[in-house]
C-alpha cells in the first residue's frame, strides 16, 4: 500500500487537529496491527498508517508535507510546469538563486 495521501490513509481532513490525528492513528493501528488483526493486508496498512502518523504528528514535517504534496486546492494535482511562472518561482527562490542572478 504505497499511497502518499497521508490524510486519506488516516481517514481525516487536512485541517485535523493533533488530537484528531492521534486518535485516527490509534484507531487504525488497533485494527491493522499484525499482532492483533487477522487481516492478511494488515501489515502494509499498519506501516502506511505509521508513516502517515510520523509525518503528520510533527508540525514542521506536516507543514513541509502540505507544502510539497498539494499544488493549489486540488489534492494530488500535478505541479504547474511547462513555463509556468509559479513553478519556477517556487523552484528558484532562495539565497543561492538570488546570488546567481545578481552575478556575484
Amino acid at each position: 500500500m504505497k499511497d502518499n495521501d497521508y490524510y486519506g490513509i488516516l481517514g481525516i481532513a487536512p485541517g485535523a487537529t493533533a488530537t484528531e490525528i492521534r486518535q485516527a492513528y490509534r484507531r487504525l493501528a488497533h485494527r491493522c496491527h499484525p499482532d492483533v488483526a487477522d487481516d492478511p493486508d494488515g501489515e502494509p496498512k499498519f506501516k502506511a498508517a505509521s508513516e502517515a502518523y510520523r509525518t503528520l504528528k510533527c508540525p514542521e514535517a506536516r507543514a513541509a508535507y502540505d507544502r510539497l504534496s498539494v499544488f493549489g486546492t486540488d489534492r494530488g494535482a500535478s505541479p504547474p510546469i511547462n513555463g509556468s511562472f509559479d513553478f519556477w518561482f517556487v523552484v528558484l527562490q532562495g539565497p543561492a538563486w538570488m546570488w546567481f542572478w545578481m552575478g556575484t
Side-chain angles (χ1 to χ4, degrees), residues 9-25:
I9 290 171
L10 294 178
I12 55 175
T17 65
T19 304
E20 292 170 336
I21 293 170
R22 186 178 61 248
Q23 288 173 349
Y25 169 70

Side-chain angles (χ1 to χ4, degrees), residues 14-100:
T17 65
T19 304
E20 292 170 336
I21 293 170
R22 186 178 61 248
Q23 288 173 349
Y25 169 70
R26 288 182 177 178
R27 186 173 39 251
L28 190 60
H30 187 266
R31 268 191 282 144
C32 297
H33 195 280
D35 294 339
V36 177
D38 295 330
D39 184 14
D41 295 331
E43 186 175 354
K45 290 178 185 177
F46 177 73
K47 288 181 180 181
S50 296
E51 180 182 346
Y53 179 66
R54 254 184 276 124
T55 302
L56 297 179
K57 74 177 181 177
C58 175
E60 292 85 16
R62 183 179 180 183
Y65 170 76
D66 288 342
R67 196 170 44 251
L68 295 175
S69 67
V70 179
F71 294 92
T73 58
D74 188 18
R75 289 201 72 74
S78 12
I81 50 177
N82 297 335
S84 172
F85 175 76
D86 294 336
F87 174 74
W88 291 110
F89 179 76
V90 171
V91 170
L92 300 175
Q93 69 183 348
W97 173 251
M98 186 171 61
W99 290 113
F100 175 74

